[in-house]
Amino acid sequence: MTGKAVNKAVLGRLLSYVLHDKKRLAIAVGLLLMASLADVSGPWLIQHFIDSYIAKNEYPLDMVAGLALAYIALMCTAAWFKYIQALRFNDIAIGVVQTVRKQLFGKVLNQPLSAFDYMPTGKLISRITNDTESIKDFYVLVIGTVLKNVIFISVMLVVMSLLSWRLTAVVLVLLPIVVAIMVLYQRKSADAYRKMRDLLADINASMSESIQGMSLIQLMRQEQAFSKQFSSLTRRHLESQVGVMKLNGLLLRPLIDFLSGVALLSIVALFGISGVELVGVGVLYAFISYLGRVTEPLIELTQQLSLLQQALVASERIFGFIDAKQQSYGDDVQPLREGRLECHDVTFSYDGKQQVLTGINVDLPHRGFLALVGHTGSGKSTLASLMMGFYPISQGELKLDGRPLASLEQSVLREGIAMVQQDPHVLSDTVRENVCLGRDVSDDVVWQVLAKVGLDGQILAYQQGLDTRLGSGEANLSAGQKQLLAMARVLVAQPKILILDEATANIDSGTEHQIQKALHTLRQDMSIVVIAHRLSTIMEADEILVLSRGAVTERGNHQQLLAHQGHYWQMYQLQQAGEQLHQMEELAVAESAVQEN
């Protein structure tokens, strides 16, 4: 973020989008020039009529009628050219805005996940919507208005100088003062508009986070606290808007109207001094008409500075995101043949200061079953993210099929290794689209993967089958069914390695058994990595890693770790005791119900 009033680099970059199609822009500018010439010719014709006929008290019918028809034709021509050039400029501007939005969203999709670690969702949405809307105003309103008014004023000054250079000199003396006012306004408003934009992004972020966390807010009875926080943001945003409005009220119309009045008095005074013999009454009329016409363009130009300032501030943020470092991949395009995964002394830190993982070693063979367990914050999900290639490794090496993960091309990595997260996202769309996710997949394949994870029976129970809408549509899935849907989703691509991140954390024992059956089937085709708190899910794992504070403290299969009687044994005993208590409670409830009946 620059502290300058005008970031010339950002302004030049915005203009470069328009200059990309020079031919279309030249046609639009040509139409604008024709409209301006037709527009300023009206007062010139009236001046000619006053000095040539009214002053001489001569009214030849044919000449008067010809001038009247010419005046009407000029006004109609000016209106037509204005309409055509406005369409041209809007077409160019909207096309440019679409290009910017596509670039921005494309860059967002390819940002490394670390870019979203500290970026609130509301602020990101604000950049994509509100900031691009400000850029649209820049192209649609600012550029068109500036070109129109600059060309109009330039043509008008040329015509005025042909009529009387003395009176034109009066106007030219005042123009630098107007320009100075515009520059002063732009400099004064820069920080104000930047602050207003930042507060608007904070408001969007607050709304987004409050809506997403509504259940938490109501459970903790924090409605009033969040309402006060939101009110504070809106009040500060209102104060910044009022400050901008005061600045507009002081430096825009009042000063320009004052200078216009000074120019008018100066012209009248010069007319009185020079006399009619030097400046005709018609010329005086034309100058007064032109001066009245030049006031509005000057005010419009100054008013566009506010939109220009908003666009520059929004562009700084958008271009900052577009220019941010993208997710990098290798150039090895050879698909994975096996699901073999190796980690050699892997060390990782999110911020470069605090180590999250230290010296991790893993050797997962093809069709192997690896489990990661440990308390919250031990580094399990971080290790899974490194296996997916979401973050670059700080130290050590991670290999897939004996090849460094960093050397693999994006499509190879994403098709070869897939993840089912703890809380899978379900689209508000059909079952088919939730499984396919835009990929070209036949219904037969969709049913095959649904059957493989045990979800086909549930979908068949829906009247519309694969066309049933999920999410906010016609049906809602349970937490366990969402996990099964996510598994079916990744199986469409038949990955060589499947990672399940807490896939059984929030499901019932019946669904857990169904997922275990699915895992047993999947092991025939791929390697599996499971992160789990519920140890019953991973009892058949070939190797279990117990993590604590980013390091492996124990490793082995289920029986070996129980025999060791370390941390894993303690976790297992606690879960067994918890399950026994739960069974006793269910039995007591059942016996109580029988006695009541």
Side-chain angles (χ1 to χ4, degrees):
M1 186 77 66
T2 180
K4 297 180 181 179
V6 175
N7 190 325
K8 294 182 180 179
V10 172
L11 180 58
R13 189 167 176 178
L14 283 173
L15 293 176
S16 68
Y17 285 96
V18 178
L19 296 173
H20 181 70
D21 193 345
K22 295 183 177 63
K23 183 178 179 181
R24 294 177 66 195
L25 181 62
I27 293 174
V29 171
L31 291 170
L32 187 55
L33 180 60
M34 297 298 294
S36 300
L37 285 171
D39 203 14
V40 301
S41 298
W44 180 81
L45 282 178
I46 295 177
Q47 173 267 327
H48 177 71
F49 175 69
I50 292 174
D51 287 344
S52 299
Y53 301 105
I54 295 179
K56 298 178 181 179
N57 199 25
E58 296 177 358
Y59 303 97
L61 183 60
D62 56 340
M63 296 302 297
V64 171
L67 286 173
L69 290 175
Y71 183 84
I72 294 172
L74 282 172
M75 294 303 99
C76 292
T77 302
W80 174 251
F81 277 120
K82 286 180 181 179
Y83 171 72
I84 296 299
Q85 66 85 20
L87 290 181
R88 289 274 185 170
F89 272 111
N90 285 346
D91 183 47
I92 294 172
I94 294 173
V96 170
V97 172
Q98 288 180 342
T99 299
V100 173
R101 282 178 172 164
K102 288 177 183 177
Q103 285 184 355
L104 176 60
F105 193 66
K107 294 293 184 178
V108 169
L109 292 177
N110 289 284
Q111 286 287 306
L113 285 185
S114 56
F116 303 97
D117 289 341
Y118 307 103
M119 172 68 72
T121 304
K123 285 192 176 183
L124 182 58
I125 293 174
S126 177
R127 289 189 180 185
I128 297 176
T129 55
N130 295 339
D131 287 352
T132 53
E133 194 68 20
S134 291
I135 292 181
K136 186 191 78 172
D137 291 340
F138 169 78
Y139 288 116
V140 174
L141 301 176
V142 176
I143 291 182
T145 301
V146 169
L147 285 175
K148 177 187 72 175
N149 290 329
V150 168
I151 291 176
F152 181 72
I153 292 173
S154 300
V155 171
M156 199 154 40
L157 287 174
V158 171
V159 174
M160 290 167 69
S161 65
L162 294 176
L163 293 174
S164 173
W165 66 268
R166 292 181 179 86
L167 299 184
T168 305
V170 175
V171 178
L172 291 176
V173 168
L174 294 175
L175 276 180
I177 302 176
V178 175
V179 173
I181 292 173
M182 295 170 69
V183 172
L184 176 64
Y185 169 81
Q186 202 277 333
R187 291 186 179 277
K188 291 288 185 182
S189 63
D191 290 337
Y193 276 109
R194 185 173 288 115
K195 179 181 179 182
M196 193 167 66
R197 278 279 156 190
D198 289 341
L199 286 171
L200 181 60
D202 291 339
I203 289 173
N204 288 334
S206 177
M207 285 193 295
S208 176
E209 291 171 2
S210 297
I211 292 173
Q212 290 177 359
M214 188 60 67
S215 59
L216 176 64
I217 293 173
Q218 294 186 1
L219 285 172
M220 303 303 294
R221 301 177 63 188
Q222 292 300 305
E223 296 92 340
Q224 188 173 3
F226 276 80
S227 177
K228 287 182 179 179
Q229 180 187 15
F230 186 78
S231 298
S232 175
L233 286 173
T234 54
R235 185 184 68 254
R236 290 163 57 195
H237 184 256
L238 176 61
E239 290 172 354
S240 65
Q241 282 185 311
V242 171
V244 170
M245 291 173 62
K246 289 180 179 178
L247 197 60
N248 293 348
L250 177 64
L251 292 179
L252 292 184
R253 183 174 288 275
L255 281 178
I256 293 180
D257 283 344
F258 172 74
L259 291 174
S260 177
V262 170
L264 180 59
L265 288 175
S266 301
I267 289 174
V268 172
L270 184 60
F271 172 77
I273 294 173
S274 61
V276 178
E277 67 280 0
L278 294 179
V279 181
V281 176
V283 173
L284 178 63
Y285 162 80
F287 264 81
I288 293 175
S289 176
Y290 286 139
L291 189 61
R293 292 189 178 200
V294 82
T295 302
E296 282 304 319
L298 288 174
I299 292 174
E300 278 190 16
L301 283 174
T302 311
Q303 288 175 332
Q304 297 310 311
L305 288 176
S306 62
L307 294 178
L308 171 63
Q309 196 59 59
Q310 293 182 56
L312 290 178
V313 172
S315 299
E316 288 179 4
R317 296 147 60 101
I318 288 177
F319 291 149
F321 210 92
I322 289 177
D323 296 337
K325 185 178 180 181
Q326 299 294 289
Q327 178 78 38
S328 59
Y329 297 93
D331 52 9
D332 187 345
V333 297
Q334 185 68 28
L336 296 183
R337 297 185 303 274
E338 297 180 339
R340 185 159 50 90
L341 185 147
E342 303 168 71
C343 295
H344 301 295
D345 295 322
V346 170
T347 298
F348 177 75
S349 172
Y350 285 104
D351 56 9
K353 299 176 182 178
Q354 184 177 1
Q355 299 293 346
V356 180
L357 295 174
T358 305
I360 303 296
N361 290 284
V362 174
D363 188 1
L364 176 65
H366 180 48
R367 297 178 182 173
F369 186 176
L370 173 69
L372 306 176
V373 300
H375 293 304
T376 302
S378 60
K380 305 183 301 297
S381 295
T382 299
L383 180 56
S385 295
L386 295 182
M387 293 175 178
M388 290 293 300
F390 290 157
Y391 300 91
I393 299 171
S394 304
Q395 297 177 22
E397 191 174 35
L398 199 158
K399 293 183 177 182
L400 297 177
D401 269 7
R403 292 177 283 168
L405 184 146
S407 68
L408 300 179
E409 199 265 346
Q410 181 184 13
S411 61
V412 175
L413 186 60
R414 293 292 166 254
E415 291 174 5
I417 182 168
M419 175 184 283
V420 176
Q421 296 174 311
Q422 181 176 355
D423 187 17
H425 180 68
V426 177
L427 302 176
S428 297
D429 209 327
T430 63
V431 175
R432 181 185 294 103
E433 287 303 317
N434 267 280
V435 175
C436 298
L437 294 178
R439 295 168 290 186
D440 186 13
V441 182
S442 67
D443 285 358
D444 289 340
V445 173
V446 173
W447 283 115
Q448 287 174 13
V449 296
L450 289 174
K452 190 171 288 188
V453 300
L455 195 59
D456 55 333
Q458 178 66 35
I459 305 306
L460 285 170
Y462 295 140
Q463 186 176 1
Q464 294 183 316
L466 294 180
D467 293 317
T468 304
R469 298 186 66 86
L470 301 178
S472 58
E474 303 162 1
N476 289 314
L477 300 178
S478 66
Q481 289 170 338
K482 289 180 181 179
Q483 296 288 352
L484 297 175
L485 177 67
M487 291 176 65
R489 188 181 283 169
V490 300
L491 291 181
V492 168
Q494 292 295 316
K496 296 299 181 182
I497 301 175
L498 176 63
I499 300 175
L500 277 70
D501 187 358
E502 302 287 3
T504 59
N506 302 311
I507 60 177
D508 56 72
S509 56
T511 307
E512 180 187 4
H513 179 67
Q514 196 170 1
I515 289 179
Q516 287 178 331
K517 286 177 61 179
L519 290 179
H520 182 75
T521 302
L522 296 176
R523 284 190 63 186
Q524 311 303 316
D525 302 317
M526 64 190 68
S527 303
I528 295 176
V529 179
V530 176
I531 301 173
H533 278 301
R534 298 172 69 164
L535 304 183
S536 55
T537 311
I538 59 170
M539 292 174 60
E540 296 182 3
D542 299 324
E543 185 176 37
I544 301 172
L545 301 186
V546 182
L547 281 76
S548 177
R549 298 182 180 180
V552 177
T553 58
E554 300 175 28
R555 64 194 316 152
N557 60 33
H558 178 70
Q559 297 299 330
Q560 290 171 341
L561 291 176
L562 289 181
H564 181 65
Q565 293 192 354
H567 189 196
Y568 181 86
W569 178 80
Q570 294 176 352
M571 294 171 62
Y572 183 75
Q573 294 299 321
L574 287 173
Q575 288 194 15
Q576 288 292 101
E579 290 180 5
Q580 290 179 2
L581 287 174
H582 181 67
Q583 292 176 359
M584 292 173 63
E585 289 177 357
E586 289 183 341
L587 182 60
V589 170
E591 291 178 350
S592 176
V594 170
Q595 292 177 359
E596 289 179 0
N597 293 333

